[in-house]
Amino acid sequence: MPEAVAQGTGAAGLVTPIRIDSVFDDPDVIRRLVQRHGPYRTMASYLPASAVRGGHPAAGDGVPAHFRATWAAGGRPLVDGAEVILHNPRLLRAASQLFDAEVIPNTVAVNVSAPQPAGAIHVDVPSFRGADRDRYPMQLLQAMAASGLFEDWRVAEAGVVWWNYQGPGGAYDYWPDGLEGPMRSEHPPFINSALAADNNRMYHRIGWVGAPAAAPPAFSAAAQISHHADGGWTISDAGRAPVRYDDRDIRISILWKAQVRPGPQSDMAAPLTPELIAGIISADLTRRGVQAPGSMPSLSDQDWLDTVHSTYYVPVSTATP
């Protein structure tokens, strides 16, 4: 059963996260699913650079050993076994409790992390009525959220993160009261626990994974990780020797998302259209004195997207704990 933190709203207007214990009847089944469905691509290749505040490291610096795959999207399983996660009743109950509303599960993403430095502090890419990741670039959705201009269309979404890891480091850091409030952390050993929160608004990150004094290698964005039958994982990267890790060195997490079921249509603004999005943003850029390229903005024009993104999406300071 979910172990609920006291229900309420944080100082930044965030719902209070809910910890869930004993998420799956047999967590080893989930870990074996993850092992079976590789190889996994780096997060740097999975998402555009704009999907992480501050972007990815330059190509010469390499990228961390953080890998991902999508197992369910649009409420549909994409790989065998994903339905066990997508329709998990404990996740559904916690997500419904989080917003005190009925929710509709829609996404399952798997993260596989080898030893690496702490990840970027970020919020997840949001969705809006008429504008989501199936229709528009993540860069635009991030800018729309950061601008505050589209809150009437924002889709409330519960994000649950489940972990499986018992090695050193590997904490889950989060800021339930905003970046001005204290950082909180969930620490290993992670066997079968999860945290439900509004990850589209609540800042969070993966803490460093592995021994704190180690200097883990960086990889190119083309690297992949896969599990082998005799146990352990191997990261393959063209032009570099394969790097092998034991099972205990690999941190697995699963991101489960569910949208809050919308209320009566009469209570909502009409869904966003490309013309409406462009008009709202263009008017605000003009008010700010920002000159955007082109007289008729295209929501897929990269120069326009870069201008919009840099105007609204301010990186989190690296000095944040």
Side-chain angles (χ1 to χ4, degrees), residues 52-55 121 179 203 310 312-318:
V52 176
R53 282 185 179 265
I121 301 167
L179 290 174
Y203 285 97
S310 63
Y312 297 112
Y313 200 69
V314 180
V316 174
S317 170
T318 54

Side-chain angles (χ1 to χ4, degrees), residues 104-123:
I104 307 166
N106 60 0
T107 303
V108 174
V110 175
N111 298 288
V112 179
S113 302
Q116 60 180 281
I121 301 167
H122 66 285
V123 291

Side-chain angles (χ1 to χ4, degrees), residues 73-279:
R76 296 181 298 104
L78 302 179
V79 302
D80 180 44
E83 61 278 359
V84 174
I85 303 168
L86 185 65
H87 301 298
N88 180 285
R90 297 181 181 98
L91 301 182
L92 278 167
R93 282 198 297 271
S96 296
Q97 180 182 348
L98 189 71
F99 286 101
D100 192 23
E102 185 179 358
V103 298
I104 307 166
N106 60 0
T107 303
V108 174
V110 175
N111 298 288
V112 179
S113 302
Q116 60 180 281
I121 301 167
H122 66 285
V123 291
D124 291 352
V125 178
S127 295
F128 303 88
R129 295 189 66 245
D132 56 26
R133 281 164 284 190
D134 294 334
R135 307 182 197 186
Y136 296 107
M138 293 182 186
Q139 195 174 18
L140 176 62
L141 298 174
Q142 285 182 320
M144 289 169 64
S147 74
L149 300 170
F150 298 92
E151 290 306 297
D152 288 346
W153 293 272
R154 185 189 278 267
V155 175
E157 195 170 41
V160 181
V161 184
W162 175 88
W163 312 278
N164 190 280
Y165 179 66
Q166 299 180 57
Y172 179 78
D173 300 329
Y174 60 103
W175 285 261
D177 298 311
L179 290 174
E180 298 77 17
M183 181 185 82
R184 302 187 184 278
S185 299
E186 300 288 327
H187 292 279
F190 294 135
I191 298 174
N192 196 19
S193 58
L195 192 75
D198 182 353
N199 287 341
N200 293 353
R201 296 178 184 269
M202 184 185 77
Y203 285 97
H204 55 281
R205 72 175 177 189
I206 299 175
W208 54 266
V209 179
F219 301 90
S220 78
Q224 294 187 335
I225 192 170
S226 56
H227 191 263
H228 29 89
D230 59 345
W233 295 78
T234 296
I235 299 177
S236 302
D237 196 3
R240 308 184 190 201
V243 179
R244 179 162 176 156
Y245 292 100
D246 292 336
D247 280 332
R248 74 175 304 274
D249 297 324
I250 299 299
R251 181 187 189 272
I252 292 172
S253 67
I254 293 177
L255 172 63
W256 178 95
K257 290 201 167 219
Q259 292 186 352
V260 173
R261 186 178 292 279
Q265 295 293 323
S266 59
D267 294 343
M268 299 182 188
L272 290 164
T273 63
E275 296 76 18
L276 184 55
I277 294 171

